[in-house]
Amino acid sequence: RLRDRPSAYAERLRALREGRHGVRQELAILDGFLDAASRSIDKLAESVNPARFRRAVEILAKADTIYLVARRRAFPLTSYMAYGFGKLGIRIHLVNSPTATDPEIAGMASARDAAIAVSFTTYSAETVSLARAIAEAGVPLVAITDSSFSPLADVATEWLEVAEADHAGFRLLSASMALCMALTVAVASARE
């Protein structure tokens, strides 16, 4: 909450239109997003904490079932992790039910399981609530978030930090996706 609130999407589009002169707008937009993605990945490569990553892998590798919790812009990350874990033969629950039974699904997790919760500023209240309930039930929780001030960092057994660069106020998921897929594959490798 200490960070600035994101600008409205109309303001972000206006900033894009007022971008570089003499370059076709769509190419300037593409260049801006590619630059932001590159900066995000470079920053993650420099700042990732290997010990935390290793501990997160160990927690998840021991789990019978991995519960995946994310909403809003973080949802594509857990969705792709669910795909990856499924293809690698790892039992998962993607906690995102259209029937609004997420608290009940998350409530099935036990100390033999683990959970991954992902949220970034402005932090999804539903993700934070589910993560808190999971942690209070004694389920090991790995959080992926953008700051030590994140409410997920407070309740996590282990947390990984990834901060994405933006272009004209639009934040990407480039480094986050790389981190999530590395975590998925590392867990599968550790289980062998």
Side-chain angles (χ1 to χ4, degrees):
R1 302 284 182 209
L2 298 177
R3 292 181 176 204
D4 294 332
R5 295 203 50 91
S7 58
Y9 282 94
E11 292 175 34
R12 296 175 193 185
L13 289 173
R14 187 172 33 262
L16 284 172
R17 282 192 295 274
E18 295 169 359
R20 301 184 321 185
H21 297 288
V23 177
R24 290 184 56 108
Q25 182 178 355
E26 62 273 8
L27 295 179
I29 292 170
L30 176 60
D31 286 345
F33 278 106
L34 292 173
D35 178 62
S38 179
R39 285 185 287 126
S40 294
I41 291 170
D42 289 345
K43 184 176 180 181
L44 178 63
E46 294 170 3
S47 66
V48 71
N49 183 319
R52 283 184 178 210
F53 186 82
R54 190 177 322 105
R55 287 190 301 266
V57 169
E58 290 168 0
I59 289 166
L60 297 168
K62 289 188 268 186
D64 288 347
T65 301
I66 298 172
Y67 289 77
L68 302 166
V69 181
R71 295 291 181 278
R72 302 168 48 104
R73 80 177 179 101
F75 178 73
L77 299 168
T78 55
S79 179
Y80 198 50
M81 290 178 89
Y83 173 79
F85 280 133
K87 286 294 194 180
L88 293 165
I90 297 171
R91 188 176 314 144
I92 58 95
H93 263 296
L94 183 59
V95 183
N96 190 18
S97 171
T99 59
T101 57
D102 294 337
E104 291 83 359
I105 292 169
M108 291 185 231
S110 73
R112 295 183 323 270
D113 302 317
I116 300 171
V118 187
S119 192
F120 306 109
T121 303
T122 57
Y123 308 113
S124 160
E126 190 173 7
T127 298
V128 172
S129 174
L130 287 167
R132 186 170 284 122
I134 287 168
E136 288 172 356
V139 179
L141 174 69
V142 173
I144 298 170
T145 191
D146 57 358
S147 168
S148 60
F149 297 109
S150 165
L152 292 181
D154 289 340
V155 299
T157 309
E158 189 59 72
W159 66 279
L160 302 169
E161 184 174 358
V162 58
E164 297 281 357
D166 71 83
H167 177 60
F170 291 95
R171 273 176 265 148
L172 295 114
L173 293 173
S174 308
S176 302
M177 186 64 77
L179 177 65
C180 286
M181 287 318 295
L183 187 59
T184 301
V185 174
V187 168
S189 178
R191 285 182 168 218
E192 288 185 354

